[in-house]
Amino acid sequence: MSKLGFIGLGIMGGPMALNLQKGGYEIFACDLKKVPDALIEGGAVVCATAREVAEKADIIFTMLPNTPDVGKVLFSENGVAEGLTPGKIVIDHSSIAPKETREYAAKINELGCEYIDAPVSGGDVGAQAGTLAIMCGGNQDAFDRAKPMLDCMGQNVTLVGANGIGQMTKICNQIIVGNTIEAVAEALLLAARAGADPRKVHAALAGGWADSLVFQNHGKRMIERNFEPGGRIELHRKDLNLALAEGYALGVPLPNTATTHALWNACVGAGGIAWDHSAIIKALEAMSGFEIGDEA
């Protein structure tokens, strides 16, 4: 059975690595902070550097915040690239820029190794449950080899196209999710301002065309004022910035995406960079001078 490396063990990466471990795989783990106790208790080997992970593992997974973070982990001194030998696979679950993804893949390919960009959707709940949607860019042979491991972490694992297309698919996902969160915030705020109980409105719309996982989960967060991060504004705003850059480069207008991005910018200006992305409602509330918990 393949030996697996995992670098980046935060809100998402930690439970993803744990699900690989539960699948029977030996894990070599590395993180700037502490490797989760649950992984260590399950037998994970803690490595001091990304290079050490790559030396010991056959397939190396990364889950990192942003494009420069991935580049640093892969190619800096004591990075993944220094520990690779031909035939290994690098799988990046981070949500980063498609252009840089293709560049990273080319460098890894030059070392005789394969690269799969495999960003995920489903949040911390999906990471814990092993039910993520995983959208992959890479070649078929590498994907087929990695598929049993990816299935430990996700219930919808798809090879969408060549390197970079997985990241582009994730950008599309983030457009849909972000704009839906914004729409839910508008609707609940309007209902509350009109004198309706947002909890009852939320219940009344369940099962209809307006219903969705975003409506259920993020609508509930807005009503309960629970903005502890599952998905941080900082990261979703970054993804929409990537979307707007790709739209500009390709001549594709993204007007609703630009509005959602601007509202998250307003949250950041109010000190909310680490809030959950459902806190977009706070920007709308500030503009209207009304919170959904206020009396109409």
Side-chain angles (χ1 to χ4, degrees), residues 76-95:
S76 67
E77 184 178 358
N78 286 318
V80 168
E82 291 186 357
L84 292 175
T85 51
K88 295 189 176 186
I89 302 175
V90 175
I91 301 177
D92 179 38
H93 289 299
S94 317
S95 296

Side-chain angles (χ1 to χ4, degrees), residues 9 139 164 176 183:
L9 297 160
N139 72 48
I176 294 169

Side-chain angles (χ1 to χ4, degrees), residues 178 180-193 198 202 218-227 233 259-260 262-268 270 272 275-294:
T180 304
I181 292 172
E182 195 279 336
V184 170
E186 283 190 14
L188 291 178
L189 179 58
L190 179 64
R193 187 66 185 88
H202 191 253
H218 293 291
K220 185 171 184 286
R221 278 179 170 272
M222 293 172 193
I223 292 166
E224 295 179 351
R225 317 302 290 174
N226 174 19
F227 301 126
I233 282 175
T259 298
T260 299
L263 289 168
W264 274 325
N265 280 342
C267 289
V268 170
W275 292 342
D276 185 82
H277 43 187
S278 60
I280 196 169
I281 195 168
K282 296 182 78 166
L284 294 169
E285 289 170 339
M287 292 165 68
S288 66
F290 181 87
E291 293 187 1
I292 61 174
D294 294 344

Side-chain angles (χ1 to χ4, degrees), residues 6-284:
F6 212 109
I7 302 167
L9 297 160
I11 291 174
M12 296 293 291
M16 290 169 69
L18 189 59
N19 282 327
L20 287 170
Q21 189 177 70
K22 289 176 180 176
Y25 294 98
E26 184 176 5
I27 304 294
F28 297 90
C30 181
D31 192 85
L32 285 176
K33 299 179 181 178
K34 188 178 184 299
V35 173
D37 290 337
L39 274 175
I40 297 172
E41 292 165 4
V45 177
V46 178
C47 297
T49 65
R51 175 178 180 166
E52 184 182 350
V53 172
E55 289 172 340
K56 294 181 176 179
D58 303 309
I59 301 178
I60 301 94
F61 298 82
T62 56
M63 178 52 117
L64 302 162
N66 211 332
T67 306
D69 299 307
V70 176
K72 182 177 180 180
V73 163
L74 292 181
F75 303 114
S76 67
E77 184 178 358
N78 286 318
V80 168
E82 291 186 357
L84 292 175
T85 51
K88 295 189 176 186
I89 302 175
V90 175
I91 301 177
D92 179 38
H93 289 299
S94 317
S95 296
I96 66 172
K99 177 178 179 291
E100 280 78 1
T101 290
R102 292 187 290 270
E103 293 171 356
Y104 297 164
K107 291 181 180 179
I108 297 298
N109 294 159
E110 288 173 0
L111 300 173
C113 300
E114 296 293 344
Y115 187 97
I116 299 173
D117 47 297
V120 305
S121 181
D124 58 326
V125 174
Q128 292 162 16
T131 57
L132 294 167
I134 307 178
M135 48 220 80
C136 300
N139 72 48
Q140 187 70 54
D141 289 343
F143 176 78
D144 291 342
R145 184 175 156 196
K147 181 70 159 49
M149 287 129 258
L150 296 171
D151 285 339
C152 291
M153 300 180 286
Q155 66 179 6
N156 180 19
V157 181
T158 307
L159 179 63
V160 187
N163 287 130
I165 298 300
Q167 294 295 351
M168 184 61 74
T169 304
K170 177 59 185 290
I171 286 172
C172 295
N173 177 89
Q174 296 300 79
I175 289 173
I176 294 169
V177 172
N179 289 342
T180 304
I181 292 172
E182 195 279 336
V184 170
E186 283 190 14
L188 291 178
L189 179 58
L190 179 64
R193 187 66 185 88
D197 182 340
R199 290 176 177 78
K200 292 183 178 179
V201 172
H202 191 253
L205 296 179
W209 283 102
D211 203 1
S212 67
L213 288 173
V214 170
F215 176 75
Q216 288 295 333
N217 295 330
H218 293 291
K220 185 171 184 286
R221 278 179 170 272
M222 293 172 193
I223 292 166
E224 295 179 351
R225 317 302 290 174
N226 174 19
F227 301 126
E228 288 299 313
R232 300 197 306 274
I233 282 175
E234 175 184 14
L235 297 180
H236 207 148
R237 182 180 70 141
K238 174 261 298 180
D239 292 340
L240 292 197
N241 193 53
L242 293 175
L244 293 171
E246 292 292 331
Y248 180 83
L250 297 171
V252 176
L254 302 172
N256 292 335
T257 301
T259 298
T260 299
H261 186 262
L263 289 168
W264 274 325
N265 280 342
C267 289
V268 170
I273 195 168
W275 292 342
D276 185 82
H277 43 187
S278 60
I280 196 169
I281 195 168
K282 296 182 78 166
L284 294 169

